[in-house]
Amino acid sequence: MNAIQTEDLTKYYGKTRGIDHIHLTVRQGDFFGFIGPNGAGKSTTIRTLLGLIRPDHGTAQIFGRDAVRQRAEILARVGYLPAEVSFYPGMRVRDILKLSAGLRGRDCRKTSGRLCERLQLDTSRRAEELSFGNRKKVAIVCALQHDPDLLLFDEPTSGLDPLMQKEFFEILRERNKAGATIFLSSHILSEIQHHCTCAAMIKNGTLIAEGSVAGLLGTKTRRVSIRGTVDCSSLPGVKDLHRTPESTDFLYSGSQKDLLRTLLRGDVWDITITEPDLEEVFLHYYEREDL
């Protein structure tokens, strides 16, 4: 059974596009990255999966249950972290965590205590005293303390310092190893590349690529770095070229034979050809005019 399955999932806000005919599959046990800039439709997708907003067309299923008709059953198995969080003023952190657990009918004190210790969260602080980063920590504990089967996290690391980001992803890896499915929305591509096994890219509310992270990186495009003097600007397939008097760097998707012939005509003393990173692949997809 898939953890997430959508068919033609569509949501418009009046005439404004939210998401358009999203076909998405996330298998149980995946560590899945959902990539796109602000406004691409990431948050709309997640809120529709949770049944927080009703789609105009199409369906979404979580563990085989309909996101609209069986929302209560779904929410019992899901931990959700929104991109922006707020809490009732006057409440202390420990009371917020107790309220969140109580809404689920669970005693989560043991798990929440461990999480607060790992995230260095002071549970005696009041909500209005918390920095943005500490509010995010509280929301992370609320999302994790009931040991959900599916984690839906929307831009989770904004506000966290590098040490807390490292600890946060260590917690997620532990949960994933224990069997939880993780769906992580982010515009920070290094997070997806370093932590996720599968990913999908969204542009203007439409999926433009989906697959394993290794597969997305395994394009024919290569990063070429040359030390020496050679003119590669006229080669078909050259993109994002940067040149100095003694070096040339560019993305290349053309013929390897054409590249070698051009290099032989120049004065080259060193060349490195590598796979592009996820950011370069992402920009390649986003700059295509046919998408």
Side-chain angles (χ1 to χ4, degrees):
M1 180 187 298
N2 292 319
I4 297 172
Q5 183 75 54
T6 73
E7 297 290 340
D8 283 327
L9 195 63
T10 300
K11 177 64 181 178
Y12 272 73
Y13 302 99
K15 295 183 179 180
T16 303
R17 179 268 312 148
I19 52 176
D20 191 18
H21 297 286
I22 296 290
H23 293 265
L24 182 65
T25 300
V26 179
R27 299 166 301 181
Q28 278 191 261
D30 273 352
F31 200 134
F32 196 95
F34 197 42
I35 312 168
N38 294 332
K42 301 190 303 297
S43 295
T44 296
T45 302
I46 291 175
R47 290 168 185 162
T48 307
L49 290 174
L50 289 167
L52 301 177
I53 55 179
R54 184 179 291 266
D56 297 321
H57 180 70
T59 61
Q61 291 186 339
I62 305 293
F63 297 120
R65 293 173 171 82
D66 185 82
V68 175
R69 294 183 289 103
Q70 297 170 289
R71 183 176 67 171
E73 296 176 45
I74 289 171
L75 293 179
R77 301 181 63 182
V78 171
Y80 171 47
L81 177 68
E84 297 183 8
V85 295
S86 59
F87 304 105
Y88 294 118
M91 292 188 71
R92 298 187 186 276
V93 170
R94 57 174 171 262
D95 298 321
I96 296 170
L97 300 179
K98 183 178 179 181
L99 174 61
S100 177
L103 291 172
R104 297 180 178 277
R106 300 278 298 275
D107 182 352
C108 302
R109 286 176 293 181
K110 186 176 181 180
T111 302
S112 67
R114 290 197 300 265
L115 290 169
C116 289
E117 183 177 354
R118 294 182 66 173
L119 295 173
Q120 300 177 19
L121 182 60
D122 183 354
T123 60
S124 67
R125 300 284 299 276
R126 295 185 184 274
E128 62 269 26
E129 298 171 347
L130 298 174
S131 65
F132 176 63
N134 280 320
R135 290 200 305 274
K136 184 60 69 75
K137 291 179 187 178
V138 176
I140 290 171
V141 177
C142 286
L144 291 172
Q145 65 177 349
H146 60 291
D147 296 320
D149 298 316
L150 172 64
L151 306 177
L152 290 170
F153 282 5
D154 193 359
E155 302 286 354
T157 58
S158 58
L160 298 181
D161 65 49
L163 288 177
M164 285 299 102
Q165 290 181 25
K166 181 180 179 180
E167 186 64 30
F168 168 72
F169 278 112
E170 181 60 32
I171 292 170
L172 290 193
R173 281 193 294 270
E174 292 170 6
R175 293 298 180 98
N176 184 238
K177 188 175 180 180
T181 304
I182 299 172
F183 187 87
L184 178 72
S185 158
S186 181
H187 64 270
I188 303 174
L189 299 178
S190 60
E191 291 183 349
I192 304 299
Q193 183 169 351
H194 294 154
H195 303 290
C196 297
T197 53
C198 300
M201 298 180 183
I202 187 170
K203 175 182 179 181
N204 297 330
T206 303
L207 291 189
I208 58 174
E210 182 181 1
S212 69
V213 171
L216 291 173
L217 289 170
T219 67
K220 294 181 179 180
T221 302
R222 295 291 182 265
R223 166 63 66 183
V224 180
S225 299
I226 298 168
R227 299 298 171 261
T229 54
V230 61
D231 184 9
C232 296
S233 58
S234 61
L235 268 174
V238 168
K239 190 175 184 181
D240 193 25
L241 185 144
H242 300 281
R243 186 164 53 192
T244 70
E246 294 187 348
S247 67
T248 305
D249 294 273
F250 55 90
L251 288 176
Y252 185 65
S253 58
S255 164
Q256 298 294 327
K257 290 183 178 179
D258 290 343
L259 175 61
L260 291 174
R261 291 191 189 102
T262 301
L263 295 177
L264 289 172
R265 291 196 293 266
D267 182 15
V268 176
W269 58 83
D270 186 44
I271 179 171
T272 303
I273 301 177
T274 60
E275 291 186 345
D277 60 25
L278 189 58
E279 181 173 0
E280 291 172 324
V281 173
F282 177 80
L283 291 174
H284 165 72
Y285 276 108
Y286 253 69
E287 291 171 357
R288 286 177 57 184
E289 295 181 357
D290 58 326
L291 295 174

